[in-house]
């Protein structure tokens, strides 16, 4: 239980807080992605994860730029949700003995993260618009599009890999 919490007395305070949490989210994603690339057996899946890792390396400085403009520093606030999503995905992957089933588990875990990111970025983008931060909103919108592309790519790979996993059963 937290004894002290951030004073979120305005939409701008909430906006800044959630940007810092998104920074943590993106930074945390860079840790499991290399392992996911290594564990994936499907070539397209490996490539999708590699591409997303490259995108993440763009998302981090993008968030740092916005935070530096907002707060003059870009200190993250630990995102507990992402930690839980990663831990859950690691459990699924560890328990999957068949390689095609493991690929399905990797996709499911990655898509959960993508959906969380899309929802989170959508909220802060809207707040940026309300707060008159059009430049920030445009940067956040670009990230949402990249996250959406990653999700759609994973869905198309899943359509094929899920069938392969079902045949393995």
């Amino acid at each position: 239980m937290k004894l002290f919490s951030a004073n979120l007395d305005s939409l701008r305070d909430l906006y800044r807080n959630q940007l810092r949490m998104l920074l943590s989210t993106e930074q945390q994603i860079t840790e499991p992605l290399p392992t996911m690339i290594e564990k994936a057996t499907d070539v397209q899946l490996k490539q999708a994860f590699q591409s997303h890792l490259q995108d993440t390396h763009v998302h981090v400085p993008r968030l740092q730029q916005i935070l530096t403009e907002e707060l003059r520093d870009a200190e993250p606030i630990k995102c507990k949700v992402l930690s839980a999503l990663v831990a859950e995905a690691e459990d699924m992957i560890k328990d999957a003995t068949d390689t095609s089933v493991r690929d399905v588990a990797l996709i499911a875990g990655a898509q959960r993260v993508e959906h969380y990111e899309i929802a989170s970025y959508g909220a802060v983008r809207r707040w940026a618009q309300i707060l008159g931060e059009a430049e920030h909103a445009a940067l956040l919108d670009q990230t949402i599009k990249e996250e959406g592309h990653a999700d759609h790519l994973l869905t198309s790979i899943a359509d094929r890999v899920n069938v392969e996993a079902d045949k393995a059963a």
Side-chain angles (χ1 to χ4, degrees), residues 132-149:
E133 300 290 351
E135 209 173 287
H136 294 178
L139 291 170
L140 294 164
D141 190 58
Q142 180 61 36
T143 302
I144 292 168
K145 288 177 182 168
E146 292 161 358
E147 299 291 1
H149 173 74

Side-chain angles (χ1 to χ4, degrees), residues 37 39-49 99 103 106-107 157 160-161 164:
I37 293 165
K39 293 216 180 263
T41 57
D42 184 84
V43 174
Q44 282 185 306
L45 183 57
K46 281 181 176 289
Q47 291 169 342
F49 288 153
T99 57
D103 283 349
L106 284 162
I107 292 168
I157 295 168
R160 179 178 45 75
V161 173
E164 292 170 12

